[in-house]
């Protein structure tokens, strides 16, 4: 019997096309129904499972041990697909007998109506692609063994309605060469041929990925557990984690509802409970996740669909659909999501977690589905399921070792693509446990990218309304979130807003991207808060503003807010802090008081864990300046290597100081008017630091550098003096043409000067030899540093990739699409590398790309790269399918200026010409 609309509840808009002919008619005749057919009350009520209806446990024991062992090496919390994948990877390495998988309910207790099972390998970044490819490889292997996974290779068809979406597809197609992903740009007609069900009247093209497919997460989960059980894995069902116990900053044991397990490693794979599990330790481990309602629409059987029906993603409509056992399964990512469990309490029992479907909320996605597949209006509906999914604040996965507790690992926040991620993420976590590092660079997904502010429940509740829609949004450059803003602000934020700042956000900090006085105030004359946008892939609307700011930094005085940079003080009573930094850093930090040392902190393979500047304030006191995104990460890296007994103190002072950078040829003259300190090159040379009085303020740490290669200073000002110093600088600078400058101008300056930044150009796999910074590595230090042996070996064998600068020719910045990073580089017509960061060079008057090139043998094997190899090739950069010729540079170029300065020109960020001949030349083993 068809229930009345009032009984159903919130369906007035979602089913506004329903016309009930007779509520008393048991045949339930319906006209103009989006999906015709009989509807049951259970379609709208929480799904009530029957025995075995939601489990794929053939071949598994009906009951596992309810009592975990008293000790183990690894305890995994969460018996879903992610926990099963981690356990499987550990079992494959011989750790099965030492691993315990704890699940509060039953293993793989997923509802069969609550998954999409989409398996795609083309992700936003190379690291995510590698993880997804590993997952697909594992699924295919299990399928080949005859284990149930639900795997079907259907291919996926991504549709575009707009020119910008097609540009995005062409960019993805270009990147796919580097990522070893087979894909093809297809016409609307080809889209129709691949999926006859769709309407293509508004489709302008598509991207076809033939090797994608679908699977069944429940079946995959149980197959993983099945193989792990055979290798000794212990599984404890109906067992809850109550507390994670640490001792001396390391995991010690896990207290469960069935007893305490002593262990060495703990892995939090608790899905959308991961945040709550993170709070079961002291200190808390921040796992910033919040659940949002997510919908799956299931039809009844449709004759003729076939197993080869592709996964279709109509990204501009924010929907997807696929074949599922002869039916259509559809879903989507609405632009404004609906948070689930807003009070922060997630019900324990499966029945209590069931959420009513909100037809009003789902209605926009339903409309888009019917627009793309009009014939579905005649198809019978099975049900609409509402399944909460957990999202991180930046819509990325959360992986890695927690900065708060050593040997506490997290794998969570996989959104709705857990099956695509599980195999790769499971391998990465197992790598970290068994060998101490992942074979895939994980810095962009690392849990240490978050601060405590990101774990605030109200922040997460607001952010989760915005995040799911990003899954299918156009990936324009420099994306900015609109929620969680005005959170971290320097004391000069109001003055910057008054001056016309348009803001970007990093680590919760508001920093100016550029300045524009036009339309900067509302009707009442109050300054408006404006968020930076770049809604296109060509010349951006902020071009002229950034150009003007750039010219001021080069020829007059520019002022920029550097407050977001990570600032950490390290000190000790004796020389312990010097010894620690000598061990952590590849440069020699034992320099005279007042020196600034640029240095890397490396892992055992020589890759950059941190790239920073150290200002030696006194004999045993340093101030470290590191990238903004390193605030939690670099502090955790240091703390993991601290000597015992608290002999070295480490303090994050990021929020204690406002940092103002002044740069340009007149900065020394202007600052001299505000301080009694002698600023002459002899008294205060380049690359040194002093404590200054400025105006009426004191205790200001002044560093004679700018991080962009321009002449100038960075002033680290105690917050209470910040507004005073800012005002004095602006007043004194008027006669020198001072103006505010934003982050985008700073980016252009450093790209033109060939400066590499960690997290953008450098990562945990990049070494100083590869990026031209070997002259900062001091092998003859008395203390051996982390990574020294690996760098010595690389120096002997030669590098297999090299960091270069490319100037793009025959490119019209007004008409052609721009390079935004990630574009493939071709040498003599063959792929050889990718760009990292890019910008328009206002001095060069052309696009500039930084990136890495390789010397690839036709078989794909990497050969040593030398200077001669780099300089002897003809280069092209492919931007959205079009290749542009480019000139390669190995050294920081000398840029012409009206006011040349010997200090400014003497500093090179990349490769010292005097030393490089001994460092970059390939020397085969003798």
């Amino acid at each position: 019997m068809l229930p009345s609309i009032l009984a159903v509840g919130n369906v007035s808009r979602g089913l506004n096309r329903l016309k009930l002919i007779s509520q008393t008619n048991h045949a339930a005749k319906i006209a103009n129904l989006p999906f015709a057919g009989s509807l049951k009350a259970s379609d709208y009520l929480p799904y009530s499972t029957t025995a075995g209806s939601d489990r794929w446990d053939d071949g598994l024991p009906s009951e596992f041990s309810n009592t975990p062992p008293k000790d183990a090496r690894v305890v995994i919390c969460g018996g879903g697909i992610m926990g099963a994948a981690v356990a499987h990877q550990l079992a494959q390495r011989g750790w099965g007998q030492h691993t315990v998988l704890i699940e509060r309910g039953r293993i793989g207790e997923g509802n069969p109506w609550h998954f999409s099972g989409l398996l795609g390998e083309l992700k936003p970044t190379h690291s995510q692609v590698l993880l997804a490819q590993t997952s697909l490889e594992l699924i295919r292997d299990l399928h080949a063994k005859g284990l149930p996974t639900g795997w079907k290779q259907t291919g996926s068809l991504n549709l575009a309605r707009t020119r910008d979406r097609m540009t995005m597809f062409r960019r993805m197609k270009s990147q796919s060469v580097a990522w070893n992903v087979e894909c093809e740009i297809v016409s609307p007609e080809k889209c129709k041929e691949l999926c006859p069900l769709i309407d293509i009247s508004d489709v302008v093209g598509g991207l076809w990925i033939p090797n994608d497919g679908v699977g069944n997460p429940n079946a995959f989960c149980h197959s993983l557990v099945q193989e792990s059980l055979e290798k000794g894995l212990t599984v404890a069902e109906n067992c809850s984690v109550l507390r994670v116990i640490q001792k001396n900053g390391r995991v010690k044991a896990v207290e469960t509802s069935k007893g305490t397990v002593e262990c060495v490693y703990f892995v939090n794979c608790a899905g959308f409970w991961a945040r709550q599990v993170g709070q079961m330790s002291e200190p808390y481990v921040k796992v910033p996740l919040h659940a949002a309602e997510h919908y799956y629409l299931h039809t009844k059987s449709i004759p003729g669909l076939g197993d080869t029906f592709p996964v279709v993603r109509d990204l501009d409509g924010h929907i997807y659909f696929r074949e599922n056992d002869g039916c259509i399964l559809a879903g989507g990512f609405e632009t404004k999501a609906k948070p689930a469990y807003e009070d922060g309490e997630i019900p324990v029992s499966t029945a209590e977690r069931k959420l009513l479907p909100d037809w009003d909320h789902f209605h926009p996605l339903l409309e888009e589905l019917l627009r793309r597949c009009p014939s579905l209006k005649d198809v019978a509906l099975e049900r609409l399921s509402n399944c909460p999914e957990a999202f991180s604040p930046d819509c990325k996965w959360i992986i890695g070792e927690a900065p708060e507790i050593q040997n506490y690992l997290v794998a969570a926040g996989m959104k709705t693509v857990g099956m695509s991620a599980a195999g790769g993420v499971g391998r990465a976590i197992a790598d970290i446990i068994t060998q101490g590092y992942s074979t895939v660079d994980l810095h962009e997904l690392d849990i240490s990218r978050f601060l405590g502010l990101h774990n605030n429940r109200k922040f997460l509740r607001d952010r989760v309304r915005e995040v799911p829609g990003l899954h299918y949004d156009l990936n324009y450059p420099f994306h900015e979130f609109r929620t969680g803003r005005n959170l971290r602000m320097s004391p000069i934020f109001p003055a910057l807003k008054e001056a016309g700042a348009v803001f970007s956000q990093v680590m919760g900090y508001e920093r100016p991207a550029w300045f524009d006085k036009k339309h900067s105030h509302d009707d009442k004359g109050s300054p408006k808060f404006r968020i930076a946008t770049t809604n296109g892939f060509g010349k951006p609307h902020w071009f002229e503003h950034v150009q003007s700011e750039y010219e001021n930094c080069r020829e007059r005085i520019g002022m920029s807010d550097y407050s977001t940079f990570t600032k950490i003080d390290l000190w000790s009573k004796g020389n312990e802090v010097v010894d620690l930094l000598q061990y952590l850093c590849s440069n020699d930090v034992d320099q005279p008081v007042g020196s600034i040392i640029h240095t890397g902190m490396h892992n055992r393979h020589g890759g950059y864990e941190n790239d920073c500047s150290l200002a030696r304030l006194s004999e045993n006191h340093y101030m470290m300046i590191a990238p903004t995104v390193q605030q939690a990460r670099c502090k955790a890296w240091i703390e993991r290597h601290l000597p015992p007994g608290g002999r070295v103190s480490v303090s994050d002072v990021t929020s204690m100081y406002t940092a103002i950078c002044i740069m340009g040829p007149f900065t020394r003259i202007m600052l001299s008017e505000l301080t009694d300190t002698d600023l002459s090159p002899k008294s205060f040379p380049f690359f040194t630091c002093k404590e200054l009085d400025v105006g009426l303020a004191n205790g200001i740490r002044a560093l004679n550098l700018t991080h962009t290669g321009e002449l100038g200073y960075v002033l680290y000002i105690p917050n209470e003096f910040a507004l005073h110093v800012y005002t004095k600088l602006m007043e004194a600078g008027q006669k020198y043409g001072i103006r505010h400058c934003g982050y985008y101008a700073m980016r252009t300056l450093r790209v033109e000067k060939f400066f590499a930044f960690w997290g953008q150009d450098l990562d945990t796999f990049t070494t100083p030899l590869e990026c031209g910074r070997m002259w900062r590595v001091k092998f003859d230090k008395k203390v051996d540093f982390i990574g020294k042996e690996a760098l010595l070996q690389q120096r002997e064998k030669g590098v297999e990739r090299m960091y270069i600068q490319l100037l793009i020719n025959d490119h019209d910045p007004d008409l052609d699409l721009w390079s935004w990073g990630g574009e493939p580089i071709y040498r003599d017509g063959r792929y050889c590398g990718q760009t990292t960061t890019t910008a328009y060079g206002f001095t060069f008057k052309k696009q500039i790309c930084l990136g890495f090139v390789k010397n690839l043998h036709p078989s794909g094997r990497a050969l040593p790269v030398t200077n001669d190899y780099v300089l002897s090739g003809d280069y092209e950069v492919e931007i959205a399918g079009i290749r542009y010729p480019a000139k390669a540079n190995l050294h920081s170029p000398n840029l012409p200026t009206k006011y040349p300065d010997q200090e400014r020109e003497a500093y090179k960020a990349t490769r010292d010409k005097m030393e490089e001949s001994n460092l970059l030349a390939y020397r085969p083993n003798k």
Side-chain angles (χ1 to χ4, degrees), residues 380-630:
L381 172 66
E382 175 66 38
R383 71 178 67 244
L384 177 68
S385 295
N386 183 356
C387 174
E389 291 283 354
F391 293 84
S392 70
D394 59 3
C395 202
K396 295 180 181 179
W397 307 335
I398 302 177
I399 307 171
E401 184 177 14
E404 298 88 351
I405 302 175
Q406 293 183 50
N407 295 349
Y408 186 124
L409 294 107
V410 178
M414 304 305 156
K415 304 173 286 189
T416 64
V417 293
M419 196 170 182
S420 282
V425 173
R427 179 177 293 182
I429 294 295
D431 281 345
I432 294 171
I433 291 173
T434 59
Q435 62 189 28
Y437 64 93
S438 168
T439 53
V440 175
D441 176 63
L442 298 176
H443 81 268
E444 61 156 331
L445 306 173
D446 198 290
I447 188 172
S448 63
R449 71 186 186 270
F450 297 117
L451 300 172
L453 64 92
H454 295 115
N455 207 31
N456 178 286
R457 187 173 62 81
K458 293 181 179 179
F459 168 85
L460 289 169
R461 180 197 61 196
D462 293 343
R463 179 58 63 84
V464 83
R465 301 179 196 274
E466 179 181 10
V467 165
L470 300 179
H471 207 50
Y472 282 0
D473 256 355
L474 270 167
N475 187 22
Y476 286 125
F478 305 143
H479 172 265
E480 290 291 330
F481 290 100
R482 308 199 73 82
T483 53
R485 302 305 294 254
N486 288 310
L487 184 55
R488 297 179 81 188
M489 296 167 283
S490 70
I492 63 174
F493 171 83
L496 298 175
K497 187 167 68 168
E498 177 71 36
V502 182
F503 290 95
S504 63
Q505 187 189 67
V506 57
M507 296 296 276
Y509 249 120
E510 299 292 348
R511 68 178 178 191
W514 74 85
F515 287 82
D516 177 14
K517 286 289 290 184
K518 190 176 182 181
H519 307 306
S520 62
H521 289 66
D522 60 24
D523 295 338
K524 297 180 180 180
S526 300
K528 294 187 293 186
F529 175 72
R530 294 177 296 169
I531 298 175
T533 59
T534 306
N535 294 328
F537 296 104
K539 184 178 180 179
H541 63 91
W542 39 258
F543 180 89
E544 285 77 14
H545 301 295
V546 174
Q547 180 179 22
S548 180
E549 294 168 17
Y550 167 94
E551 291 171 351
N552 239 70
C553 294
R554 293 280 293 153
E555 309 298 350
R556 290 176 290 278
I557 298 179
M559 174 190 284
S560 188
D561 184 4
Y562 273 22
S563 301
T564 65
F565 275 78
T566 298
K567 301 173 278 288
I568 293 179
D569 273 8
L570 303 100
W571 70 95
S572 61
K573 291 183 178 180
N575 289 331
E576 294 89 350
V577 68
V578 181
D579 295 337
L580 170 67
L581 291 174
Q582 291 287 53
Y583 174 64
L584 292 176
C585 300
S586 54
N587 207 340
D588 184 1
V589 305
D590 194 7
Q591 302 297 319
V593 172
S595 298
I596 300 173
I597 306 102
H598 268 355
T599 183
M601 293 183 179
H602 306 283
N603 51 43
R604 68 179 74 177
H605 307 290
Y608 280 94
E609 290 294 332
N610 187 22
D611 181 51
C612 60
S613 300
L614 290 166
R616 193 169 192 180
L617 305 179
S618 65
E619 196 68 27
N620 296 310
H621 185 186
Y622 292 81
M623 181 185 192
M624 184 180 78
I625 312 300
T628 305
V629 295
Q630 280 272 17

Side-chain angles (χ1 to χ4, degrees), residues 659-863:
I660 295 177
C661 178
I662 51 175
M663 66 192 83
F666 301 118
T667 50
R668 182 184 288 121
I669 299 172
M670 181 193 71
L671 188 60
S672 295
E673 298 175 5
L674 298 174
T675 182
D676 294 331
T677 302
D678 183 2
L679 302 183
S680 66
K682 184 176 180 180
S683 176
F684 192 3
F686 193 49
F687 250 58
T688 61
C689 61
K690 283 182 179 290
E691 189 169 290
L692 305 179
D693 293 348
V694 177
L696 305 181
N698 70 311
I700 295 163
R701 299 175 179 179
L703 276 61
N704 190 347
L705 54 74
T706 61
H707 302 295
T708 60
E710 297 300 319
L711 184 68
Y713 306 87
V714 183
L715 307 177
Y716 292 92
I717 311 160
N719 280 338
E720 64 268 29
F721 296 135
L723 194 56
H724 170 78
V725 173
Y726 165 84
T727 302
K728 291 299 182 183
L729 290 171
M730 290 302 297
E731 290 173 352
Q734 291 305 307
K735 58 179 172 290
Y736 301 107
I738 193 172
R739 68 168 294 168
H740 296 91
C741 300
Y743 171 73
Y744 290 179
M746 303 303 103
R747 179 187 177 96
T748 295
L749 286 164
R750 71 97 172 169
V751 169
E752 223 175 26
K753 289 286 184 62
F754 205 175
F755 280 37
F757 270 26
W758 192 93
Q760 299 178 39
D761 308 290
L762 313 179
D763 58 32
T764 58
F765 280 66
T766 308
T767 71
L769 283 87
E770 296 168 345
C771 67
R773 294 185 170 187
M774 201 59 191
W775 47 282
R776 292 180 180 171
V777 177
K778 302 300 186 287
F779 289 110
D780 56 353
K781 292 195 302 181
K782 295 180 180 179
V783 178
D784 286 344
F785 59 89
I786 300 174
K788 176 180 178 179
E789 186 60 35
L791 293 178
L792 284 171
Q793 291 178 12
Q794 189 180 53
R795 186 174 69 170
E796 184 66 25
K797 294 179 180 179
V799 297
E800 294 182 350
R801 63 175 188 155
M802 192 178 292
Y803 188 56
I804 68 170
Q805 182 188 66
L806 291 162
L807 309 182
I808 298 181
N809 297 317
D810 299 338
H811 179 274
D812 188 331
D814 295 314
L815 301 176
D816 294 328
L817 296 173
W818 281 29
S819 167
W820 295 101
E823 292 83 9
I825 303 169
Y826 289 83
R827 179 185 181 275
D828 296 340
R830 293 176 54 195
Y831 169 78
C832 68
Q834 277 187 284
T835 66
T836 50
T837 49
T838 65
Y840 182 83
F842 294 105
T843 297
F844 285 123
K845 292 184 170 49
K846 57 183 63 181
Q847 287 270 303
I848 305 173
C849 301
L850 307 181
F852 290 88
V853 295
K854 299 179 180 179
N855 181 4
L856 295 174
H857 187 269
S859 65
R861 181 169 55 91
L863 303 174

Side-chain angles (χ1 to χ4, degrees), residues 124-138:
T125 65
H126 191 205
S127 293
Q128 293 178 52
V129 167
L130 291 173
L131 296 175
Q133 288 173 332
T134 300
S135 295
L136 281 170
E137 179 185 353
L138 175 59

Side-chain angles (χ1 to χ4, degrees), residues 60 87-88 91-92 138 141-142 145 147 221-233:
L60 291 181
H88 182 266
Q92 295 298 313
L138 175 59
D141 287 346
L142 293 176
K145 295 177 182 178
L147 292 170
C221 177
H222 285 93
S223 293
L224 291 171
V225 174
Q226 176 66 58
E227 282 213 329
S228 302
L229 287 170
E230 295 171 0
K231 295 183 180 294
L233 174 70

